[in-house]
Amino acid sequence: MRKSKESIFKNKLVWAVIAELLILAVAGILEPNFFKIEFNQTTGMLYGSLIDIINRSAEITIIAMGMTMVIALGGTDISVGALVAVAGAFALKFLRWDVTQYPTPGDYTVKPFIFVILVPLVICTLMGLFNGVLIGKFKLQPIIATLILMVAGRGIAQIATNGKQFTTGYTPFRFIGQGSMLGLPFPIIITIVVCAAVMIFVRKTAFGTFVESVGINPSASRVTGLKSDRIIMIVYTLTGFLSGIAGLIYSSRISSCDSNNAGVNYEMDAILAVVLGGTSMTGGKFSLTGTIVGSLIIRTITTLVYYFGITSESIMAFKAAIILVVIVIQSEPVGRWLATRQARKQKVGELHG
Amino acid sequence: MLDHDVILTMKGIEIQFPGVKALDGVDFSLRRGEVHALLGENGAGKSTLIKCLTGVNKMDAGRIELEGREIRPTDPKNAMDLGISTVFQEVNLCENLSVAENIFIGRQPMKRGQIDWKEINRRSAELLERFHVHIDVTRPLSQFSTAIQQMVAIARAVDVDAKVLILDEPTSSLDSDEVERLFDVMRDLKAQGMGIIFITHFLDQVFEMSDRMTVLRNGRLVGVFNANELTKLDLVSTMIGKDLDQIFDLKRAVQKEGAGEMLRAEHIGVPGKVEDISFSQKKGELLGFAGLLGSGRTETAEMIFGVSKAQDGTLTIDGRTVKISEPMDAINNKIAFCPEDRKRDGIIGDLTIRENIALALQARRGMMKPMTRKEQDELADKYIKMLAIATPDAEKKIRELSGGNQQKVILARWMATDPDLLILDEPTRGIDVGAKAEIQRLMLEMCENGMSIIFISSELDEIIRCSNRIIVMRDGKKAGELNGEGCTQADIMRVIAGEKDGETA
């Protein structure tokens, strides 16, 4: 049988990969050292821009795994950034160097360490469930439903820490964001594990197909026996949990919590990563691999900009310009145009060949 | 007729789609004041020809002339400006806007730089009067039935000074009264000299309304005929190019002696929609549901399947009293349901044929027990073969299929769950004669194998031809019950009209 295949120019994942490679190529031409990776004997870690890009993209990549399915369902979750702050606040609440009690650094009030990890994750998961119930059961519009926690989340984080910024020097906690394993920064290891777990869950069970089905046609999905409200709740809960993991990584990187600035604009970056990866905002078919590439593109641009010493004020504009190009190339009319051109060339080739 | 009567000619139209030639040298001509039926099975190229005329699809070869001048429509708006107006099968209006806004959208009359609402509302009401539709034109379109929406779409198309009007399946969602009204309007327009291209699957209507007919098959022109030249049977065989015997030689499934009871509904209802419905169905029985649109046929089916929850009464399946509050409950009781609105409630457009077929079975097995790719492939290939679904392979998106083939995929989805009771709500609406006969034959075959089927249809002849018993609905209530054997259309109509209550079989 002949297999139905779309032109590769219509495949957005292909474009995302091409875009990423092009950006890297530009970096390589301008600065040959860009690709240099060194092994640091003392820390036992690999160093280099490429490693740094993957390391620093960890938080967005992890959140965007959940966001991909949120968007596939035709929704959005704008509370993820606030949840990053919540996770950090609760982690540091149970783990801090209290200056008044312990004047010398090195002494800590540490609740059992497992608490420090589990409590923030449970709280973020419950917040995700809260979003899911509002959207799945009460049928609120996703952007409105998640707006609630986007605002309230930072408030809750403030309350948890009494409005203070705690810092910590506790090594096991700092390991999450700053440690290394197998020569790689630990956040990369976490990202690989999380992405693999999500992908296995989604593609090795029927969950992915169910999400796509509900995203494409909720009414028909219901008539076919799918429990769409349950699927919606699972997706938002998962996204909450993943935001919690990202929050732990972030607060561990900076060894503190910052309810006002942690995770700011993460929702936008996560959505952008999903869209760059080729998943449509209208819902339906999604690509987790695409999302990972999308997240890498965002981080590569940022790194590139820093690397060449472009002033921080112009970073946003620079980022926007590159993203604009990528998204326009991915857009349907351009894809169709390229596909017809390709078809014509083939036709001409056949005639002459 | 003289040549100058010709208003539109299409010559040697060719359109190439990836892998197939959708149109291959098709000619078509339309005269002033003529209703010209465009006929053919699904996939024959009718829609493609229309899309070519309205600028949706680009021709690879060919020439279109309107009143002797060559035209090349670039998009529907452009075609409309040229004088070619179309009413599509699926009403494409904005449901959240008012009726009047829908009629005048994009060409609102202005007064002192502002939209002249008074004028819009007045002219809309006037226009609809011509169709004998008397409604409040300021209310949102969504508040009206599909039939009214269809009328609004036609009113809009007619009001733009069209020379050519294309009606693509305009009657598939109308009841017989509304069809008559539409025909009156068509006669009016015809008398004014408008050329009308009429696409429909209802052959009676073709013979009632059209002057000439053009028949297409597999993207090629079969012939152009005057309406009085052909009998209905001739036309059907011309359309499908197949022996007629196999189509009309359908025999009602034989009711097995002493078959147990499959389903018993006692006084089920949703207040305000359908009330006090009681009936029973034997195993292997084909139970027809007749009645006008909106008489409660669909609502009854939806209640049994849990799409809407029955508030009153009890439902007994295979001797067990069951509670069905959502579709999954029904699926677990081995009930299956092909809904009336295929596009809204049936197909998952962007998923492949394979995924669409596997979906219901997968939903029942649960998320954690995924079917392997191999199982899915086998399932899909099996049904593509069994139901003769026209597709190169199982990986095509379902929305790219024709209506009849989409319907077959939905049927396959439910056959894959191996149901005891299959509910089919208008399974043959909007699909061509060939596919229709195939679906009817399949139903009867499944009944022979012991499956019970509830068959809802607006076409009385197919209800009578297939059903063992017929339940007639009127105004949300059961109006009567008739035996399939020996029943005539007039019998059913009398019950619908309320002249007499049907005797219980």
Side-chain angles (χ1 to χ4, degrees), chain B residues 46-74:
Chain B
K46 291 169 300 184
S47 302
T48 314
L49 190 68
I50 294 310
K51 281 182 182 160
C52 176
L53 186 54
T54 51
V56 178
N57 287 339
K58 299 272 166 296
M59 301 183 283
D60 290 316
R63 183 178 165 90
I64 306 176
E65 282 177 17
L66 184 69
E67 296 183 313
R69 272 203 312 275
E70 180 170 12
I71 55 163
R72 286 190 168 272
T74 51

PDB file of all heavy atoms in Angstrom, chain B residues 46-74:
ATOM      1  N   LYS B  46     -18.334  15.992  -7.987  1.00  0.00           N
ATOM      2  CA  LYS B  46     -19.314  17.088  -7.956  1.00  0.00           C
ATOM      3  C   LYS B  46     -18.784  18.276  -7.156  1.00  0.00           C
ATOM      4  O   LYS B  46     -18.762  19.406  -7.639  1.00  0.00           O
ATOM      5  CB  LYS B  46     -20.613  16.622  -7.287  1.00  0.00           C
ATOM      6  CG  LYS B  46     -21.411  15.626  -8.051  1.00  0.00           C
ATOM      7  CD  LYS B  46     -22.506  15.049  -7.166  1.00  0.00           C
ATOM      8  CE  LYS B  46     -21.866  14.371  -5.987  1.00  0.00           C
ATOM      9  NZ  LYS B  46     -22.745  13.688  -5.070  1.00  0.00           N
ATOM     10  N   SER B  47     -18.381  17.979  -5.926  1.00  0.00           N
ATOM     11  CA  SER B  47     -17.906  19.062  -5.060  1.00  0.00           C
ATOM     12  C   SER B  47     -16.679  19.729  -5.651  1.00  0.00           C
ATOM     13  O   SER B  47     -16.530  20.949  -5.585  1.00  0.00           O
ATOM     14  CB  SER B  47     -17.557  18.527  -3.680  1.00  0.00           C
ATOM     15  OG  SER B  47     -18.665  17.918  -3.114  1.00  0.00           O
ATOM     16  N   THR B  48     -15.806  18.933  -6.230  1.00  0.00           N
ATOM     17  CA  THR B  48     -14.584  19.500  -6.799  1.00  0.00           C
ATOM     18  C   THR B  48     -14.924  20.460  -7.939  1.00  0.00           C
ATOM     19  O   THR B  48     -14.333  21.532  -8.055  1.00  0.00           O
ATOM     20  CB  THR B  48     -13.659  18.381  -7.306  1.00  0.00           C
ATOM     21  OG1 THR B  48     -13.600  17.362  -6.303  1.00  0.00           O
ATOM     22  CG2 THR B  48     -12.274  18.892  -7.579  1.00  0.00           C
ATOM     23  N   LEU B  49     -15.907  20.063  -8.752  1.00  0.00           N
ATOM     24  CA  LEU B  49     -16.303  20.923  -9.864  1.00  0.00           C
ATOM     25  C   LEU B  49     -16.862  22.249  -9.331  1.00  0.00           C
ATOM     26  O   LEU B  49     -16.552  23.326  -9.848  1.00  0.00           O
ATOM     27  CB  LEU B  49     -17.357  20.211 -10.719  1.00  0.00           C
ATOM     28  CG  LEU B  49     -17.703  20.883 -12.046  1.00  0.00           C
ATOM     29  CD1 LEU B  49     -16.521  20.815 -12.991  1.00  0.00           C
ATOM     30  CD2 LEU B  49     -18.922  20.239 -12.693  1.00  0.00           C
ATOM     31  N   ILE B  50     -17.661  22.151  -8.270  1.00  0.00           N
ATOM     32  CA  ILE B  50     -18.227  23.352  -7.660  1.00  0.00           C
ATOM     33  C   ILE B  50     -17.124  24.215  -7.061  1.00  0.00           C
ATOM     34  O   ILE B  50     -17.103  25.435  -7.213  1.00  0.00           O
ATOM     35  CB  ILE B  50     -19.250  22.946  -6.557  1.00  0.00           C
ATOM     36  CG1 ILE B  50     -20.452  22.252  -7.184  1.00  0.00           C
ATOM     37  CG2 ILE B  50     -19.681  24.156  -5.749  1.00  0.00           C
ATOM     38  CD1 ILE B  50     -21.054  22.986  -8.343  1.00  0.00           C
ATOM     39  N   LYS B  51     -16.201  23.545  -6.387  1.00  0.00           N
ATOM     40  CA  LYS B  51     -15.105  24.284  -5.754  1.00  0.00           C
ATOM     41  C   LYS B  51     -14.249  24.978  -6.797  1.00  0.00           C
ATOM     42  O   LYS B  51     -13.646  26.010  -6.535  1.00  0.00           O
ATOM     43  CB  LYS B  51     -14.246  23.338  -4.913  1.00  0.00           C
ATOM     44  CG  LYS B  51     -14.881  23.026  -3.576  1.00  0.00           C
ATOM     45  CD  LYS B  51     -13.988  22.124  -2.760  1.00  0.00           C
ATOM     46  CE  LYS B  51     -14.663  21.777  -1.429  1.00  0.00           C
ATOM     47  NZ  LYS B  51     -14.055  20.579  -0.854  1.00  0.00           N
ATOM     48  N   CYS B  52     -14.173  24.366  -7.963  1.00  0.00           N
ATOM     49  CA  CYS B  52     -13.418  24.953  -9.054  1.00  0.00           C
ATOM     50  C   CYS B  52     -14.133  26.210  -9.551  1.00  0.00           C
ATOM     51  O   CYS B  52     -13.526  27.241  -9.831  1.00  0.00           O
ATOM     52  CB  CYS B  52     -13.324  23.891 -10.129  1.00  0.00           C
ATOM     53  SG  CYS B  52     -12.547  24.417 -11.592  1.00  0.00           S
ATOM     54  N   LEU B  53     -15.444  26.118  -9.613  1.00  0.00           N
ATOM     55  CA  LEU B  53     -16.256  27.235 -10.092  1.00  0.00           C
ATOM     56  C   LEU B  53     -16.264  28.384  -9.087  1.00  0.00           C
ATOM     57  O   LEU B  53     -16.396  29.546  -9.458  1.00  0.00           O
ATOM     58  CB  LEU B  53     -17.685  26.724 -10.332  1.00  0.00           C
ATOM     59  CG  LEU B  53     -18.708  27.637 -10.966  1.00  0.00           C
ATOM     60  CD1 LEU B  53     -18.192  28.179 -12.279  1.00  0.00           C
ATOM     61  CD2 LEU B  53     -20.009  26.878 -11.188  1.00  0.00           C
ATOM     62  N   THR B  54     -16.126  28.059  -7.809  1.00  0.00           N
ATOM     63  CA  THR B  54     -16.150  29.098  -6.788  1.00  0.00           C
ATOM     64  C   THR B  54     -14.749  29.515  -6.375  1.00  0.00           C
ATOM     65  O   THR B  54     -14.583  30.261  -5.419  1.00  0.00           O
ATOM     66  CB  THR B  54     -16.922  28.621  -5.545  1.00  0.00           C
ATOM     67  OG1 THR B  54     -16.403  27.349  -5.157  1.00  0.00           O
ATOM     68  CG2 THR B  54     -18.391  28.494  -5.834  1.00  0.00           C
ATOM     69  N   GLY B  55     -13.748  29.005  -7.081  1.00  0.00           N
ATOM     70  CA  GLY B  55     -12.389  29.474  -6.827  1.00  0.00           C
ATOM     71  C   GLY B  55     -11.710  28.863  -5.626  1.00  0.00           C
ATOM     72  O   GLY B  55     -10.646  29.307  -5.220  1.00  0.00           O
ATOM     73  N   VAL B  56     -12.314  27.830  -5.030  1.00  0.00           N
ATOM     74  CA  VAL B  56     -11.659  27.188  -3.890  1.00  0.00           C
ATOM     75  C   VAL B  56     -10.499  26.319  -4.381  1.00  0.00           C
ATOM     76  O   VAL B  56      -9.424  26.322  -3.811  1.00  0.00           O
ATOM     77  CB  VAL B  56     -12.676  26.346  -3.081  1.00  0.00           C
ATOM     78  CG1 VAL B  56     -11.979  25.653  -1.925  1.00  0.00           C
ATOM     79  CG2 VAL B  56     -13.814  27.219  -2.579  1.00  0.00           C
ATOM     80  N   ASN B  57     -10.767  25.574  -5.451  1.00  0.00           N
ATOM     81  CA  ASN B  57      -9.698  24.770  -6.051  1.00  0.00           C
ATOM     82  C   ASN B  57      -9.240  25.409  -7.366  1.00  0.00           C
ATOM     83  O   ASN B  57     -10.046  25.968  -8.101  1.00  0.00           O
ATOM     84  CB  ASN B  57     -10.193  23.355  -6.354  1.00  0.00           C
ATOM     85  CG  ASN B  57     -10.352  22.529  -5.098  1.00  0.00           C
ATOM     86  OD1 ASN B  57      -9.762  22.837  -4.062  1.00  0.00           O
ATOM     87  ND2 ASN B  57     -11.166  21.507  -5.178  1.00  0.00           N
ATOM     88  N   LYS B  58      -7.957  25.291  -7.629  1.00  0.00           N
ATOM     89  CA  LYS B  58      -7.434  25.839  -8.875  1.00  0.00           C
ATOM     90  C   LYS B  58      -7.449  24.752  -9.968  1.00  0.00           C
ATOM     91  O   LYS B  58      -7.062  23.623  -9.714  1.00  0.00           O
ATOM     92  CB  LYS B  58      -5.994  26.324  -8.676  1.00  0.00           C
ATOM     93  CG  LYS B  58      -5.885  27.437  -7.636  1.00  0.00           C
ATOM     94  CD  LYS B  58      -6.076  28.816  -8.230  1.00  0.00           C
ATOM     95  CE  LYS B  58      -6.301  29.865  -7.159  1.00  0.00           C
ATOM     96  NZ  LYS B  58      -7.519  29.722  -6.342  1.00  0.00           N
ATOM     97  N   MET B  59      -7.876  25.152 -11.153  1.00  0.00           N
ATOM     98  CA  MET B  59      -7.887  24.205 -12.267  1.00  0.00           C
ATOM     99  C   MET B  59      -6.467  24.002 -12.778  1.00  0.00           C
ATOM    100  O   MET B  59      -5.670  24.923 -12.801  1.00  0.00           O
ATOM    101  CB  MET B  59      -8.682  24.770 -13.446  1.00  0.00           C
ATOM    102  CG  MET B  59     -10.096  25.105 -13.162  1.00  0.00           C
ATOM    103  SD  MET B  59     -10.855  25.651 -14.706  1.00  0.00           S
ATOM    104  CE  MET B  59     -10.227  27.313 -14.865  1.00  0.00           C
ATOM    105  N   ASP B  60      -6.186  22.782 -13.235  1.00  0.00           N
ATOM    106  CA  ASP B  60      -4.914  22.538 -13.910  1.00  0.00           C
ATOM    107  C   ASP B  60      -5.067  22.752 -15.411  1.00  0.00           C
ATOM    108  O   ASP B  60      -4.111  23.039 -16.104  1.00  0.00           O
ATOM    109  CB  ASP B  60      -4.413  21.127 -13.612  1.00  0.00           C
ATOM    110  CG  ASP B  60      -3.983  21.009 -12.160  1.00  0.00           C
ATOM    111  OD1 ASP B  60      -3.300  21.932 -11.684  1.00  0.00           O
ATOM    112  OD2 ASP B  60      -4.347  20.026 -11.501  1.00  0.00           O
ATOM    113  N   ALA B  61      -6.293  22.557 -15.901  1.00  0.00           N
ATOM    114  CA  ALA B  61      -6.570  22.850 -17.306  1.00  0.00           C
ATOM    115  C   ALA B  61      -8.059  23.121 -17.433  1.00  0.00           C
ATOM    116  O   ALA B  61      -8.842  22.737 -16.579  1.00  0.00           O
ATOM    117  CB  ALA B  61      -6.168  21.666 -18.181  1.00  0.00           C
ATOM    118  N   GLY B  62      -8.436  23.787 -18.529  1.00  0.00           N
ATOM    119  CA  GLY B  62      -9.854  24.046 -18.734  1.00  0.00           C
ATOM    120  C   GLY B  62     -10.169  25.520 -18.790  1.00  0.00           C
ATOM    121  O   GLY B  62      -9.293  26.367 -18.589  1.00  0.00           O
ATOM    122  N   ARG B  63     -11.441  25.814 -19.075  1.00  0.00           N
ATOM    123  CA  ARG B  63     -11.846  27.180 -19.327  1.00  0.00           C
ATOM    124  C   ARG B  63     -13.261  27.380 -18.812  1.00  0.00           C
ATOM    125  O   ARG B  63     -14.136  26.526 -19.002  1.00  0.00           O
ATOM    126  CB  ARG B  63     -11.799  27.393 -20.843  1.00  0.00           C
ATOM    127  CG  ARG B  63     -12.118  28.760 -21.339  1.00  0.00           C
ATOM    128  CD  ARG B  63     -11.972  28.754 -22.865  1.00  0.00           C
ATOM    129  NE  ARG B  63     -12.606  29.960 -23.405  1.00  0.00           N
ATOM    130  CZ  ARG B  63     -11.957  31.106 -23.581  1.00  0.00           C
ATOM    131  NH1 ARG B  63     -10.683  31.186 -23.300  1.00  0.00           N
ATOM    132  NH2 ARG B  63     -12.591  32.172 -24.049  1.00  0.00           N
ATOM    133  N   ILE B  64     -13.481  28.469 -18.101  1.00  0.00           N
ATOM    134  CA  ILE B  64     -14.820  28.774 -17.615  1.00  0.00           C
ATOM    135  C   ILE B  64     -15.283  30.071 -18.271  1.00  0.00           C
ATOM    136  O   ILE B  64     -14.543  31.056 -18.289  1.00  0.00           O
ATOM    137  CB  ILE B  64     -14.839  28.984 -16.084  1.00  0.00           C
ATOM    138  CG1 ILE B  64     -14.227  27.775 -15.370  1.00  0.00           C
ATOM    139  CG2 ILE B  64     -16.263  29.218 -15.592  1.00  0.00           C
ATOM    140  CD1 ILE B  64     -14.128  27.940 -13.877  1.00  0.00           C
ATOM    141  N   GLU B  65     -16.499  30.043 -18.814  1.00  0.00           N
ATOM    142  CA  GLU B  65     -17.054  31.265 -19.383  1.00  0.00           C
ATOM    143  C   GLU B  65     -18.375  31.601 -18.727  1.00  0.00           C
ATOM    144  O   GLU B  65     -19.245  30.748 -18.578  1.00  0.00           O
ATOM    145  CB  GLU B  65     -17.282  31.091 -20.894  1.00  0.00           C
ATOM    146  CG  GLU B  65     -16.017  31.216 -21.707  1.00  0.00           C
ATOM    147  CD  GLU B  65     -16.280  30.966 -23.182  1.00  0.00           C
ATOM    148  OE1 GLU B  65     -17.455  31.012 -23.586  1.00  0.00           O
ATOM    149  OE2 GLU B  65     -15.306  30.711 -23.903  1.00  0.00           O
ATOM    150  N   LEU B  66     -18.496  32.846 -18.343  1.00  0.00           N
ATOM    151  CA  LEU B  66     -19.745  33.319 -17.774  1.00  0.00           C
ATOM    152  C   LEU B  66     -20.276  34.399 -18.711  1.00  0.00           C
ATOM    153  O   LEU B  66     -19.594  35.394 -18.952  1.00  0.00           O
ATOM    154  CB  LEU B  66     -19.507  33.886 -16.370  1.00  0.00           C
ATOM    155  CG  LEU B  66     -20.744  34.344 -15.603  1.00  0.00           C
ATOM    156  CD1 LEU B  66     -21.610  33.163 -15.211  1.00  0.00           C
ATOM    157  CD2 LEU B  66     -20.334  35.124 -14.354  1.00  0.00           C
ATOM    158  N   GLU B  67     -21.443  34.194 -19.264  1.00  0.00           N
ATOM    159  CA  GLU B  67     -22.027  35.102 -20.243  1.00  0.00           C
ATOM    160  C   GLU B  67     -21.034  35.410 -21.354  1.00  0.00           C
ATOM    161  O   GLU B  67     -20.881  36.563 -21.768  1.00  0.00           O
ATOM    162  CB  GLU B  67     -22.484  36.388 -19.562  1.00  0.00           C
ATOM    163  CG  GLU B  67     -23.603  36.135 -18.567  1.00  0.00           C
ATOM    164  CD  GLU B  67     -24.107  37.407 -17.932  1.00  0.00           C
ATOM    165  OE1 GLU B  67     -23.264  38.220 -17.502  1.00  0.00           O
ATOM    166  OE2 GLU B  67     -25.330  37.585 -17.858  1.00  0.00           O
ATOM    167  N   GLY B  68     -20.338  34.361 -21.800  1.00  0.00           N
ATOM    168  CA  GLY B  68     -19.454  34.513 -22.946  1.00  0.00           C
ATOM    169  C   GLY B  68     -18.074  35.051 -22.643  1.00  0.00           C
ATOM    170  O   GLY B  68     -17.218  35.062 -23.520  1.00  0.00           O
ATOM    171  N   ARG B  69     -17.851  35.534 -21.434  1.00  0.00           N
ATOM    172  CA  ARG B  69     -16.521  36.065 -21.099  1.00  0.00           C
ATOM    173  C   ARG B  69     -15.786  35.060 -20.221  1.00  0.00           C
ATOM    174  O   ARG B  69     -16.376  34.484 -19.298  1.00  0.00           O
ATOM    175  CB  ARG B  69     -16.659  37.388 -20.345  1.00  0.00           C
ATOM    176  CG  ARG B  69     -16.745  38.593 -21.251  1.00  0.00           C
ATOM    177  CD  ARG B  69     -16.327  39.845 -20.503  1.00  0.00           C
ATOM    178  NE  ARG B  69     -16.988  39.944 -19.210  1.00  0.00           N
ATOM    179  CZ  ARG B  69     -18.197  40.471 -19.040  1.00  0.00           C
ATOM    180  NH1 ARG B  69     -18.873  40.951 -20.066  1.00  0.00           N
ATOM    181  NH2 ARG B  69     -18.734  40.528 -17.848  1.00  0.00           N
ATOM    182  N   GLU B  70     -14.508  34.890 -20.481  1.00  0.00           N
ATOM    183  CA  GLU B  70     -13.753  33.954 -19.661  1.00  0.00           C
ATOM    184  C   GLU B  70     -13.549  34.520 -18.254  1.00  0.00           C
ATOM    185  O   GLU B  70     -13.224  35.696 -18.088  1.00  0.00           O
ATOM    186  CB  GLU B  70     -12.387  33.641 -20.287  1.00  0.00           C
ATOM    187  CG  GLU B  70     -11.631  32.658 -19.407  1.00  0.00           C
ATOM    188  CD  GLU B  70     -10.378  32.099 -20.040  1.00  0.00           C
ATOM    189  OE1 GLU B  70      -9.960  32.622 -21.071  1.00  0.00           O
ATOM    190  OE2 GLU B  70      -9.837  31.133 -19.473  1.00  0.00           O
ATOM    191  N   ILE B  71     -13.756  33.668 -17.255  1.00  0.00           N
ATOM    192  CA  ILE B  71     -13.501  34.105 -15.882  1.00  0.00           C
ATOM    193  C   ILE B  71     -12.566  33.120 -15.206  1.00  0.00           C
ATOM    194  O   ILE B  71     -12.474  31.957 -15.592  1.00  0.00           O
ATOM    195  CB  ILE B  71     -14.813  34.219 -15.054  1.00  0.00           C
ATOM    196  CG1 ILE B  71     -15.584  32.890 -15.105  1.00  0.00           C
ATOM    197  CG2 ILE B  71     -15.675  35.356 -15.576  1.00  0.00           C
ATOM    198  CD1 ILE B  71     -16.635  32.772 -14.034  1.00  0.00           C
ATOM    199  N   ARG B  72     -11.840  33.635 -14.225  1.00  0.00           N
ATOM    200  CA  ARG B  72     -10.981  32.766 -13.408  1.00  0.00           C
ATOM    201  C   ARG B  72     -11.181  33.123 -11.943  1.00  0.00           C
ATOM    202  O   ARG B  72     -10.425  33.911 -11.395  1.00  0.00           O
ATOM    203  CB  ARG B  72      -9.505  32.987 -13.783  1.00  0.00           C
ATOM    204  CG  ARG B  72      -9.142  32.381 -15.114  1.00  0.00           C
ATOM    205  CD  ARG B  72      -7.633  32.393 -15.331  1.00  0.00           C
ATOM    206  NE  ARG B  72      -7.288  31.567 -16.460  1.00  0.00           N
ATOM    207  CZ  ARG B  72      -7.050  30.265 -16.352  1.00  0.00           C
ATOM    208  NH1 ARG B  72      -7.086  29.680 -15.180  1.00  0.00           N
ATOM    209  NH2 ARG B  72      -6.767  29.548 -17.421  1.00  0.00           N
ATOM    210  N   PRO B  73     -12.217  32.546 -11.314  1.00  0.00           N
ATOM    211  CA  PRO B  73     -12.491  32.904  -9.924  1.00  0.00           C
ATOM    212  C   PRO B  73     -11.299  32.552  -9.037  1.00  0.00           C
ATOM    213  O   PRO B  73     -10.719  31.465  -9.173  1.00  0.00           O
ATOM    214  CB  PRO B  73     -13.695  32.028  -9.561  1.00  0.00           C
ATOM    215  CG  PRO B  73     -14.272  31.587 -10.849  1.00  0.00           C
ATOM    216  CD  PRO B  73     -13.156  31.547 -11.829  1.00  0.00           C
ATOM    217  N   THR B  74     -10.920  33.488  -8.156  1.00  0.00           N
ATOM    218  CA  THR B  74      -9.756  33.245  -7.305  1.00  0.00           C
ATOM    219  C   THR B  74     -10.163  32.740  -5.926  1.00  0.00           C
ATOM    220  O   THR B  74      -9.400  32.055  -5.268  1.00  0.00           O
ATOM    221  CB  THR B  74      -8.938  34.532  -7.146  1.00  0.00           C
ATOM    222  OG1 THR B  74      -9.844  35.577  -6.743  1.00  0.00           O
ATOM    223  CG2 THR B  74      -8.285  34.917  -8.451  1.00  0.00           C
TER     224      THR B  74
END
